[in-house]
Amino acid sequence: MIAPSILSADFARLADEVAAVAGSDWLHVDVMDAHFVPNLTLGLPIVEALLKVTDIPMDCHLMIENPERWAIGYAEAGAHNVTVHAEAAREPVRIARDLRAAGAKAGLSVKPDTPLEPYLEVLREFDTLLVMSVEPGFGGQKFIAHVLDKVRMVRTMIDTGHLNLLVEIDGGINADTIEQAAEAGVDCFVAGSAVYSAADPAMAVRALRTQAANAAHHLT
């Protein structure tokens, strides 16, 4: 699965930029509040507007404080998957259950240096795990390879029946890094610059999907 990140799109032409990645599995929307991360992007009104112009499932990544208050609105608006950060969530289990009750899948994200072990039990309540392979807040950063240890841990737990969720990765994913992420056990790849800097973004999505599928048996 490839989820183009509109953080790398032209914000003045968002509807056109979304149309340019037709055929993508998910559309990744980075919501930042300038508190949890040092950047301010877009919020619920933009997500609601985008939902009217595309049928690509919306993957909302909330890099915000107090997700208990704000996350449910994205689910109620029609987002397919809503991800909150483990570092910001005071009641992650409650958030997961509320998101599911509102009709969305529930995702939990961890920063590159956040250990995964304290959240392994909590992950049983979630549908997706988003492993950050850059520090959250800005696009165009270099891929941090050591986070793949967390991916391998979770993939083993999935393969042995201890967890049942989709593994997503976000940060520095491109033609040079997607294969090692796929080999480690990732299911869904967020790609920003690698898609939107291409002459044909939709073709870039297809090429990345093929690369990932060829690199990992669990994706075929």
Side-chain angles (χ1 to χ4, degrees):
M1 296 173 61
I2 305 297
S5 171
I6 63 169
L7 185 63
S8 297
D10 181 349
F11 277 21
R13 303 174 52 251
L14 273 184
D16 292 338
E17 295 282 68
V18 170
V21 294
S24 299
D25 299 285
W26 286 357
L27 186 70
H28 191 79
V29 181
D30 288 309
V31 177
M32 307 181 194
D33 64 358
H35 295 284
F36 180 71
V37 293
N39 195 7
L40 182 66
T41 54
L42 45 78
L44 184 57
I46 301 298
V47 170
E48 290 173 331
L50 290 176
L51 284 164
K52 296 176 182 178
V53 299
T54 184
D55 59 1
I56 303 173
M58 203 75 68
D59 178 29
C60 295
H61 177 194
L62 307 187
M63 289 172 268
I64 63 173
E65 293 182 350
N66 196 14
E68 285 83 0
R69 177 180 179 183
W70 301 109
I72 190 67
Y74 291 84
E76 291 173 341
H80 178 73
N81 184 64
V82 180
T83 296
V84 301
H85 265 267
E87 303 88 354
R90 296 186 300 273
E91 300 179 77
V93 171
R94 181 168 74 87
I95 293 177
R97 293 176 180 175
D98 287 349
L99 288 172
R100 284 176 160 177
K105 292 185 180 298
L108 188 70
S109 182
V110 289
K111 295 180 181 181
D113 291 330
T114 298
L116 194 57
E117 288 81 358
Y119 303 103
L120 291 178
E121 286 300 317
V122 170
L123 279 174
R124 298 180 188 279
E125 298 281 344
F126 285 84
D127 301 292
T128 63
L129 168 67
L130 175 57
V131 176
M132 292 301 299
S133 43
V134 298
E135 286 297 328
F138 297 91
Q141 298 182 63
K142 185 178 179 181
F143 182 76
I144 300 173
H146 72 72
V147 305
L148 295 180
D149 291 338
K150 286 185 273 194
V151 173
R152 295 183 186 98
M153 178 194 305
V154 172
R155 175 51 56 191
T156 297
M157 296 186 71
I158 294 169
D159 291 345
T160 56
H162 292 86
L163 283 175
N164 180 22
L165 45 70
L166 179 147
V167 183
E168 188 175 8
I169 196 163
D170 182 6
I173 294 297
N174 54 42
D176 296 324
T177 59
I178 194 167
E179 292 182 11
Q180 58 183 303
E183 290 170 355
V186 173
D187 302 297
C188 183
F189 307 83
V190 177
S193 301
V195 170
Y196 279 110
S197 65
D200 186 336
M203 184 177 293
V205 168
R206 293 193 294 271
L208 289 170
R209 187 186 291 125
T210 298
Q211 266 193 282
N214 290 339
H217 294 302
H218 77 281
L219 296 176
T220 57

